[in-house]
Amino acid sequence: VSDGVSRRQFLTAGSFFGWLPFIHPKHIQIAGARFRIVRNGKSRRRYILIHGDEETAREVLTRHMKARQGIAFLVENKTRNVPAGSGKIDPNRMFSREGAARSLERLNPGLAANQMKAALAEIEDGLDHFLRALLPTHGGLLVALHNNSEAYSVQDELAISDDRSIREPQNPHAFFLCTEPADFKILANSGYNVVLQHSAGEDDGSLSRLCARRGIRYVNIEVGAGRAGRQQEMLQWLEWSLP
Ligand SMILES: [Zn+2]
């Protein structure tokens, strides 16, 4: 067998394994939240759309992944809350048991104790698998895209943040929320609003709190619903500026 043949066999085997669905699945699920996985090239960047009704963020991230390398997780549910057991939960509260329990209680008044237990078990069953797929390795960055309405802005985060840079006080709905001081330093030069949540605060079960706890670089880009141009601009700024 010449070197040429064995090399060719090796390359064929490599592309064969690359297509096996269990190595590169196109979907991943945790409780009733189903995510489409979009891969583009090789990069340690990770992206997530976790709230199904945030259509502006969905549109911006979908377009972004056509041009940028990385792996994106886009929730396929169209509603903000997703099924968990016989109840529903905010998917951005599934990342700790306390946070999940509180979200389930709030959204499902009258949920029996055994139903609560079953819903929490369903979330916990899928959590490790989901996080292994989602979280970046080797100092990579996880970017989450969210949209808000009148009810929520950077003002709600100030009291529980370690640091802040409010360069656009007239536009409180557009801001970065990050977990790493080094990223905060860079983002604070952007001219956009930024808050840092690095130290252990109240664990609400959100992805940002989990990343802060585990020392994972996480940046959330929040803008008002419908402000696609602004969200794209902030995402672009982040891509050019953060390592
Ligand atoms: Zn959201």
Side-chain angles (χ1 to χ4, degrees), residues 124-136:
E124 262 168 30
D125 278 353
L127 191 58
D128 276 352
H129 176 64
F130 184 70
L131 291 176
R132 262 199 308 278
L134 172 68
L135 298 180

Side-chain angles (χ1 to χ4, degrees), residues 49-54 80 90 92 145-148 220 222:
L49 171 81
I50 198 166
H51 285 140
D53 62 344
E54 296 176 359
R80 178 183 181 87
D90 179 336
N92 198 26
L145 281 80
H146 285 273
N147 298 136
N148 55 58
N220 176 2
E222 279 274 357

Side-chain angles (χ1 to χ4, degrees), residues 224-240:
R227 303 289 310 275
R230 166 49 81 101
Q231 194 156 36
Q232 194 181 346
E233 183 191 303
M234 290 171 74
L235 181 53
Q236 216 63 258
W237 198 94
L238 173 152
E239 295 287 16
W240 285 107

Side-chain angles (χ1 to χ4, degrees), residues 80-209:
R80 178 183 181 87
N81 301 318
V82 300
S86 53
K88 56 187 176 175
I89 188 169
D90 179 336
N92 198 26
R93 295 291 179 269
M94 295 192 299
F95 301 100
S96 76
R97 196 180 167 87
E98 312 86 84
R102 235 175 299 145
S103 179
L104 285 164
E105 269 164 23
R106 198 170 63 80
L107 296 174
N108 309 277
L111 196 70
N114 63 323
Q115 290 175 311
M116 169 67 82
K117 231 175 133 184
L120 287 171
E122 193 186 322
I123 293 161
E124 262 168 30
D125 278 353
L127 191 58
D128 276 352
H129 176 64
F130 184 70
L131 291 176
R132 262 199 308 278
L134 172 68
L135 298 180
T137 54
H138 306 102
L141 178 68
L142 173 58
V143 180
L145 281 80
H146 285 273
N147 298 136
N148 55 58
S149 58
E150 283 308 306
Y152 173 71
S153 77
V154 73
Q155 294 296 333
D156 299 288
E157 299 291 349
L158 294 179
I160 53 169
S161 295
D162 300 300
D163 210 341
R164 68 182 71 180
S165 170
I166 304 300
R167 297 278 195 92
E168 283 193 306
Q170 78 289 359
N171 189 7
H173 293 281
F175 63 98
F176 293 115
L177 185 159
C178 64
T179 59
E180 272 296 310
D183 291 329
F184 174 79
K185 250 187 193 167
I186 295 170
L187 292 167
N189 286 322
S190 67
Y192 303 116
N193 300 323
V194 194
V195 291
L196 170 69
Q197 293 182 3
H198 174 62
S199 50
E202 190 200 349
D203 186 359
D204 59 0
S206 64
L207 189 53
S208 64
R209 285 295 181 196

